[in-house]
């Protein structure tokens, strides 16, 4: 991750020492002009992501 990743939900800096479950969200879309998959990275606190994802969706983190 970046040195100072910012959460895409709350816009606060993520302290990676305190939140080992912080997540890089990789978003992809097909862009024919570029010939393939375009990715954008967004970062999230583990708690911010859990608050926004429906409880029936099982989330897991790799440490």
């Amino acid at each position: 991750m970046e040195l100072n990743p910012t959460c895409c939900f709350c816009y606060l800096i993520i302290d990676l020492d305190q939140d080992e479950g912080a997540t890089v969200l990789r978003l992809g879309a097909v862009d024919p002009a570029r010939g393939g998959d375009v990715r954008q990275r967004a970062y999230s606190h583990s708690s911010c992501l859990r608050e926004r994802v429906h409880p029936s969706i099982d989330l897991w983190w790799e440490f």
Side-chain angles (χ1 to χ4, degrees), residues 4-55:
N4 294 311
T6 303
C7 181
C8 65
F9 296 111
C10 71
Y11 307 112
L12 297 176
I13 299 295
I14 299 171
D15 182 343
L16 299 176
D17 292 330
Q18 301 242 336
D19 187 357
E20 292 181 3
T23 304
V24 178
L25 306 170
R26 291 179 177 90
L27 309 172
V30 176
D31 183 354
R34 293 185 181 205
D37 191 24
V38 176
R39 289 191 174 209
Q40 177 181 0
R41 290 188 303 173
Y43 298 91
S44 172
H45 291 106
S46 56
S47 59
C48 288
L49 182 61
R50 174 45 57 206
E51 287 172 4
R52 287 160 176 86
V53 174
H54 193 274

